[in-house]
Amino acid sequence: MAGTSLAMTIAANSPEIRNDMTMTEAPSIPDSGVLEKTALETYVPPAKPSLVGLSRPELAERLGEIGVPEKQRKMRAQQLWHWMYVRGAQTFADMTNVSKDMRAELEKHFTVDRPEVVTEQISNDGTRKWLLRLPGDGVGRAHEVECVYIPETDRGTLCVSSQVGCTLNCSFCHTGTQRLVRNLTAGEIVGQIMVARDRLNDWIDRETPNGNRLVTNIVMMGMGEPLYNFDAVRDALLIVSDNEGIGISRRRITLSTSGVVPNIARTGDEIGVMLAISLHAVRDELRNELVPLNRKYPIKELLDACRAYPGSSNSRRITFEYVMLKGVNDSLDDARLLVKLLKGIPAKINLIPFNPWPGSKYECSDWEQIEKFSEYVFNAGYSSPVRTPRGRDILAACGQLKSETEKLSARERQALRAMAMTD
Ligand code: SAH
Ligand code: SF4
C-alpha cells in the first residue's frame, strides 16, 4: 500500500535473551496501514529465574552453573523434570527424593514459579478464567495475560496466550486494537498450563474415578499471534506434549494462526501440533481488511501452505476458523467459495459467532444466517460446528483481553458479553 508506514517485523529472539525486544516507536492505536506492530517494552526477568519452561539440556546446563558435577546433571535434570511436570511441585522443598543440600542450593538460585494469579473467576457453566501477572519492564506496570479453562463432558480445553497484546491488527479483534507489549517466554506459556493444573488440583496424585486429567486439550487461541513468537511457543509446546511430563498429546494441542505463512511448515515439522487457520474471508479484498496480514500472505499462498502442512490427513484435519460478521462475510456465495477454496485440503470449518466489543464496527450474523451457512458447508461434506458461547457471565473470551475491560462502563461491559472458544 503506497504511502503507509509499515512497522518492522519484530526482531527474532535470540535463544539467550528471548523476549528482550528493543523499544521502538510504534503507534499505540494502530492505523489501518500498519501490518505488524513492534514491541514496545523490554522484559526484565526476575532476579531468581524459574526453571519452568527449560528443556532437559537447558536444565542440565543451569545445574552445571551452580556446581552440580557433570555426571550427575542428566539424572538431576530428570528428577526436576518429573517433580515439575508430573507432580506439579511448587517449591523445591516438595521434592522429597532430592537431597536436602541440593534442595537448599536450588532454592538459593532458582524458583519453580509460574505466572502469578491476580484474579480467578468461575462461571456458572464451570468455565474458569485467570488473569495472570508476568514480569514487566522493571519500571512500568506489570504485564498481564489471560488464560481460560472450558470444561466439557468428555474433555477440558485450556485457551492459552502467546503474547501480551498482538503484533497484528485484525479489524474484528479486540486484542488487535491494542499495542504489542511483548512476547511471552516459553516458561510463561508452560506456566499457564501449570497454573490451570494447580488451580484445578489436576496433577498426577489427584484422586479421580477414572484417572483422567481435567485439562486434556490446549488451544493457542488466547492473546497474541503464536507464529510471531515461534521459538518460545515451540519450546513450550514440546514440554507440554512430552509424555514423561505434562503429557498432553500433540493431537490435542491446536495452534491457531492468522496466517504467518513462512512459519506454517515449521509448525508441522518442529512442533507437530494440530493447525487452525483464522481464515474469516474468501476473497483477498475483504481478507485484507479483516486480517491485514493477508496483504503480505494472500489467501492462495496461505492455502498452498495448508495443502503442504506436514502431517495433515483425514484424521488430522486443519481447522478453518470463520467469524460470522453480519452482511460482511456471511452470504451463501461466501459459503460456496469457501467450499471451493478448501477443495483438496483435509479440513473442518469452525464457525465463530462474532463477539462484539466496545467500538467494534461489526455485528454478529443472525442465527438463521449462521445456520444456513453451516448447513451449506455441512452438505458439502465438511464438519462445521458453531462455537458455543461459554463463560458469558465472567466475560471469558479467547482472542480478547480482560485487562482492558477494567476501564469500561457498565454499558460497555454489557456489550462485551463474551464467549470462550471451543467446538
Ligand atoms: N492470533 C491467533 C490466535 C488468537 S485469536 C489467530 O488470529 O488465529 C483466536 C481466534 O479468535 C481467531 O480465530 C480469531 O480470529 C478469533 N477472534 C478474535 N476476535 C474475535 C471476536 N471478536 N469474535 C469472534 N472471534 C474472534
Ligand atoms: Fe492478533 Fe489473532 Fe487478534 Fe488478529 S485475531 S489481532 S492475529 S489475536
Side-chain angles (χ1 to χ4, degrees), residues 172-173 221-222 224-225 256-257 278 280 321 323 354-355 400 421:
F172 57 89
C173 173
M221 291 186 189
E225 168 48 59
S256 172
T257 178
S278 292
H280 308 314
E321 295 159 282
V323 65
F354 170 63
N355 255 332
Q400 296 193 303
M421 311 298 180

Side-chain angles (χ1 to χ4, degrees), residues 159-160 162-163 166 168 170 172-176 220-227 255-259 276-280 291 320-325 352-357 360 387 398-400 419 421:
C159 180
V160 171
S162 56
Q163 299 181 308
C166 185
L168 301 165
C170 302
F172 57 89
C173 173
H174 196 212
T175 309
M220 294 301 299
M221 291 186 189
M223 251 181 145
E225 168 48 59
L227 295 192
L255 183 149
S256 172
T257 178
S258 56
I277 301 285
S278 292
L279 189 63
H280 308 314
V291 185
F320 288 86
E321 295 159 282
Y322 197 95
V323 65
M324 297 300 290
L325 304 170
I352 315 173
F354 170 63
N355 255 332
W357 39 273
S360 63
R387 280 183 188 170
C398 290
Q400 296 193 303
M419 60 176 207
M421 311 298 180

Side-chain angles (χ1 to χ4, degrees), residues 114-119 130-136 141-146 182 188 195:
R114 352 353 193 135
E116 180 194 342
V117 178
V118 185
T119 54
W130 298 283
L131 179 66
L132 304 175
R133 183 171 295 149
L134 311 168
R141 280 166 24 143
H143 298 157
E144 287 175 348
V145 287
E146 273 189 345
R182 70 169 173 90
E188 290 165 341
V195 162

